[in-house]
Structures are given as C-alpha cells and as structure tokens.
Amino acid sequence: MIDLHFAATPNGWKITIMLEECGLPYAIKPVNIGAGEQFRPEFLAISPNNRIPAIVDHDPPGGGAPVSVFETGAILLYLAERTGRFLPTDLRARMRTIEWLMWQMAGLGPMLGQNGHFRLYAPEKLPYAIDRYGREADRLYGVLDRQLAHTGAYVAGDDYSIADIACFPWIITHKAQGIDMSQFPHVARWFADIRQRPAVIAGTAVGRMARPEEITADAKKVMMGIEEAKS
C-alpha cells in the first residue's frame, strides 16, 4: 500500500493519475493546505519543502523500511521505475521523456502557477505581473504545441509517458489561466485524447468533492505564506 499525502491541485492529480494508470493500491492522506497542515512536523518529515504531494511506499521493491518520496517529478520517476511503466527503457526515448518531465517541473508548472496566482488570487492586481506571466504562459503553450506537432502523438514521442501525466493536470486549468486553446490546436488534440483515459478520469476525480467552492481569505494567506494558520 502507498500512502499519498494529497490535496486536490494539479500537482496532486499528477500522482493520482499515475497511481491509477499503474493500478497500484493507495490510500489518500488529505493535507488541508488552507489550514496549514503542510507545515506540521509529521508532514515535513516526508516533504521538507512543505509542499504536496508526497508518498510513503510501505512495500518498496526489495522490501525493507518504507520509502518516502517528495516532489512530483521524483515521485513519477519512482513509480515508473517501480512498475516498469510509462518510462521507456531505450536510452534516447528515456532521455526525451525525462527532458520533458523536467521541462514541466521547471517551466510549465511554476510559470502557470505564477500566472494563476497573479490573475486569480493576488490581493492586488498588478498589470506588470499579469502581463509578464500571461505572456510566459502563452510562450510555454507554444512550446508544447510545437512539440506535439512534431511528435504527432504524445509529449515525448509515440508513447504515453510520465511526461504527459506531468503536463496534463496543468492544462486542465487553461480557461482560468486565460489561455485561448484555439491558438494551440495540437495541445487541444492531445488534451481531448488524454482526458478520455479511464485512469485520468479516475485520478482527476480524487478530492474534487472535498474542495471548497470558495477559498477563504485566511486560507489564501496561509497558502501564499503570508501568515501562519490560526489555531
């Protein structure tokens, strides 16, 4: 059994999708990031960056003590290695997959996160920040669109991989991000195909019913690191 310390966010859904795709048994351990539970010592022991998600594998390959992993890229690589799925064994295909996984970790996720923050959540609407991150979001969608035009299939090549699993949950947010998907037809084609996969449907359904319709002002401050949760 794998414990998944989770909140219903694009980063959380990366891992529920992967677990569903691999058919691995897992237990959700909810982390209320609005209440500051990501700062609790017991969570920091497995995720020292105080970010969700993190996993604890109680039955790791080879046996022995449980294995904990934080950061979504590391978790996806761990699960791919554990199951032998969604990460090619061929050297060149494997490196392309890892390249695009790292691109998502270093670019697509953080920059869309900043774009969403300044567009939707920042207490002050700063035109410079909204414009800067909006243009960067468009640029990254353009990078992804060109790559998908090149492969004609999936992000890293002919086969569905952890690169697709990493990118997809962030593309779910395209409307809130202010992205005109008609400008990125190859992303639109890829997105429509992947969203129909049964494991993707199941993975992105996790936690949706538990999400509050509106995030309170106090929760926003905790999530943005402006103040600590009230006891």
Side-chain angles (χ1 to χ4, degrees), residues 212-226:
E213 292 185 5
E214 183 175 348
I215 301 173
T216 67
D218 286 342
K220 286 181 183 178
K221 290 178 180 178
V222 172
M223 292 165 67
M224 295 174 197
I226 295 172

Side-chain angles (χ1 to χ4, degrees), residues 185-199:
H186 302 286
V187 176
R189 182 268 307 162
W190 167 86
F191 181 73
D193 288 346
I194 289 183
R195 72 186 304 182
Q196 297 179 49
R197 294 177 67 93

Side-chain angles (χ1 to χ4, degrees), residues 135-155:
R135 286 187 289 107
E136 181 63 3
D138 277 333
R139 187 190 73 81
L140 290 164
Y141 265 76
V143 171
L144 183 58
D145 199 66
R146 290 190 296 275
Q147 174 65 6
L148 289 166
H150 172 69
T151 67
Y154 297 104
V155 172

Side-chain angles (χ1 to χ4, degrees), residues 4-8 28-40 43 46 50-54:
L4 171 59
H5 297 261
F6 170 89
I28 293 292
K29 305 295 182 181
V31 179
N32 186 336
I33 57 178
E37 291 180 358
Q38 67 272 33
F39 299 105
R40 290 181 175 178
F43 182 70
I46 60 171
N50 60 264
R51 294 288 187 271
I52 63 92

Side-chain angles (χ1 to χ4, degrees), residues 57-116:
D57 187 351
H58 293 280
D59 186 23
V67 172
S68 65
V69 189
F70 75 103
E71 293 296 328
T72 56
I75 297 169
L76 289 172
L77 286 168
Y78 174 81
L79 295 174
E81 295 281 4
R82 189 189 193 284
T83 61
R85 301 192 67 190
F86 308 116
L87 181 62
T89 55
D90 171 76
L91 174 63
R92 290 163 183 80
R94 183 183 185 88
M95 291 314 302
R96 281 194 298 271
T97 301
I98 293 173
E99 282 177 336
W100 284 99
L101 173 64
M102 295 302 110
W103 175 81
Q104 189 284 316
M105 294 290 297
L108 187 69
M111 293 300 101
L112 292 187
Q114 292 293 334
N115 185 47

Side-chain angles (χ1 to χ4, degrees), residues 103-180:
W103 175 81
Q104 189 284 316
M105 294 290 297
L108 187 69
M111 293 300 101
L112 292 187
Q114 292 293 334
N115 185 47
H117 171 80
F118 285 107
R119 283 178 60 87
L120 303 171
Y121 302 116
E124 181 181 355
K125 300 302 181 186
L126 300 173
Y128 174 80
I130 293 170
D131 177 67
R132 171 181 168 78
Y133 289 109
R135 286 187 289 107
E136 181 63 3
D138 277 333
R139 187 190 73 81
L140 290 164
Y141 265 76
V143 171
L144 183 58
D145 199 66
R146 290 190 296 275
Q147 174 65 6
L148 289 166
H150 172 69
T151 67
Y154 297 104
V155 172
D158 293 336
D159 298 319
Y160 179 72
S161 73
I162 55 174
D164 301 282
I165 293 170
C167 291
F168 177 81
W170 281 100
I171 306 303
I172 292 174
T173 68
H174 66 272
K175 292 181 180 178
Q177 294 277 349
I179 298 295
D180 179 2

Side-chain angles (χ1 to χ4, degrees), residues 1-2 15-27 79-80 82-86 160 165 197-200 202-203:
M1 178 66 71
I2 292 174
I15 309 308
T16 50
I17 290 171
M18 182 64 172
L19 289 165
E20 292 286 342
E21 291 280 13
C22 293
L24 290 169
Y26 65 98
L79 295 174
R82 189 189 193 284
T83 61
R85 301 192 67 190
F86 308 116
Y160 179 72
I165 293 170
R197 294 177 67 93
V200 171

